[in-house]
Amino acid sequence: MVTTRRGRRPAGSGVPLTFEVIAETLREQIRSGRLKPGDALPTQAVLMREFGASSLTVQKAMVLLKQGGWAVSRPGKGAFVAHHDHAAGDADDLDDPEATAPATGTTARVEALERALTEAAQQIADLRGRIEALESGSGERGR
C-alpha cells in the first residue's frame, strides 16, 4: 500500500485508508450475519489492536458506520449494530441482494463527500501544526 506521512494516500490513488478498511470490515461482518442488529460492535481497544490503528482512526471508522446507518451509539454502553435502516428499500433479509448492494446515487456521493471532508480537515490540522511550528521556530521574524 502506498501512503504518505501520517497514513494519507496520494490523491486519486484509490487505495482505501485504514479507517475505511475498518468500516468496510465491520459492514461485511454485518452483511454476513456474523454481527446482527443489536449486537455490540468491537470496542475501540479491540479494533485498535486488530488493525494496528490509532484511536482517531477507529473513531473515524465508527463515524462512517454511524453516518451510513450501520451502527448506533448508546451513551455509556458503546456502539451497536443498527437495525437495517441502511438497506435498500424495506429489505430486512440480509440474503436479499438489494440489502447488501453497495451505496449508489445520492448516498454514494454523500459518503464520498464525507471522506473528502475528513481528509481536508486532517490536511488543515497538519498545515496549522506546520504553521505553528514555523512561527514558534522563527520567533517574530518576518512580521
Side-chain angles (χ1 to χ4, degrees), residues 18-39:
T18 304
F19 75 93
E20 294 169 322
V21 171
I22 294 169
E24 182 55 32
T25 300
L26 292 172
R27 280 192 293 262
E28 185 53 40
Q29 290 176 6
I30 295 167
R31 283 188 205 105
S32 72
R34 181 171 169 213
L35 289 171
K36 295 174 180 25
D39 284 354

Side-chain angles (χ1 to χ4, degrees), residues 8-98:
R8 289 189 311 270
R9 67 173 168 232
S13 72
V15 176
L17 297 170
T18 304
F19 75 93
E20 294 169 322
V21 171
I22 294 169
E24 182 55 32
T25 300
L26 292 172
R27 280 192 293 262
E28 185 53 40
Q29 290 176 6
I30 295 167
R31 283 188 205 105
S32 72
R34 181 171 169 213
L35 289 171
K36 295 174 180 25
D39 284 354
L41 289 171
T43 65
Q44 182 172 314
V46 167
L47 293 171
M48 288 170 63
R49 252 190 328 272
E50 184 177 332
F51 290 92
S54 71
S55 62
L56 181 60
T57 297
V58 171
Q59 289 170 16
K60 286 180 181 180
M62 295 309 294
V63 166
L64 278 182
L65 290 172
K66 291 172 192 171
Q67 288 174 340
W70 293 89
V72 293
S73 286
R74 295 188 188 141
K77 300 202 184 273
F80 296 83
V81 177
H83 292 279
H84 300 290
D85 296 342
H86 60 274
D90 292 331
D92 280 341
D93 182 0
L94 287 176
D95 292 330
D96 181 342
E98 296 216 11

